[in-house]
Amino acid sequence: MLTVRRTPRARVRLSATLGSLESVTALVVAHLAAGGELPSAWWLAGFAVLVYAASGVVLRERAGIRVVLPALLAAQVLGHAWLVALAPHAHPGHEHAASAFLGLTPAMLGAHLLAATVTGAMWVLRRRAVEVLLRWTEPGVVPVPAVRGAAGPDPRPARTPREHRALAPTRGPPAGSLAIA
């Protein structure tokens, strides 16, 4: 008989959503720790959608983490630099120097690197969890548990009174009466 086993890689919506929330939270915390202000809601929502899409690709194993993670980090840094270039006065909590890399201080670059590291670690751990689950479902890897103390089914099926009458001998003394000697 042919059986088809669906792998958990096909369904990554929940993992991608959780990963997106984790990554955005790490970005916000690191951003605030680096001296910045809380990014605007539309920026966080856009970044969450970007991480969700990247998580879907990585967790389905359509692209490697070594390819997607640097692209995600570059999108973070370039998006931040773009916002600084468009509206430097809108970032009063930042100390953006013109001589810094893309207008970002080392602390802010470190904040984005930390958020990308959290995202990469999340992807690695979730991929590993899927591999462990798949290994557990391979036939013969995990022994089938034996039920102890429970009696097995009776090898002879129970007969109804009608079956007893039908199976009674038709010759000789009656089967249910005692012999009188």
Side-chain angles (χ1 to χ4, degrees):
M1 174 198 287
L2 177 66
T3 58
V4 178
R5 182 175 66 173
R6 287 189 60 163
T7 62
R9 289 186 189 102
R11 300 174 298 233
V12 297
R13 287 186 198 126
L14 180 62
S15 292
T17 302
L18 289 175
S20 182
L21 291 174
E22 292 166 356
S23 183
V24 168
T25 302
L27 179 66
V28 167
V29 169
H31 200 261
L32 292 174
E37 290 182 347
L38 184 68
S40 63
W42 67 269
W43 171 251
L44 292 176
F47 182 67
V49 169
L50 180 67
V51 174
Y52 179 83
S55 294
V57 170
V58 168
L59 294 175
R60 284 189 180 105
E61 292 189 355
R62 293 192 177 139
I65 295 173
R66 292 181 183 180
V67 173
V68 178
L69 191 60
L72 187 64
L73 178 61
Q76 283 182 27
V77 171
L78 291 175
H80 193 137
W82 179 52
L83 290 175
V84 170
L86 288 179
H89 62 284
H91 287 37
H94 294 66
E95 295 298 329
H96 296 293
S99 62
F101 179 71
L102 294 174
L104 302 175
T105 61
M108 195 56 68
L109 287 172
H112 286 285
L113 185 62
L114 177 67
T117 303
V118 167
T119 305
M122 175 267 309
W123 286 339
V124 168
L125 291 174
R126 288 206 167 92
R127 272 186 165 184
R128 179 69 183 139
V130 167
E131 292 301 322
V132 168
L133 287 173
L134 288 177
R135 193 167 302 131
W136 283 351
T137 60
E138 288 176 3
V141 173
V142 177
V144 177
V147 180
R148 295 182 185 171
D154 189 18
R156 293 179 299 153
R159 294 189 177 135
T160 64
R162 183 176 180 181
E163 289 174 327
H164 276 292
R165 284 191 301 269
L167 295 174
T170 56
R171 300 181 84 194
S177 65
L178 296 174
I180 301 176

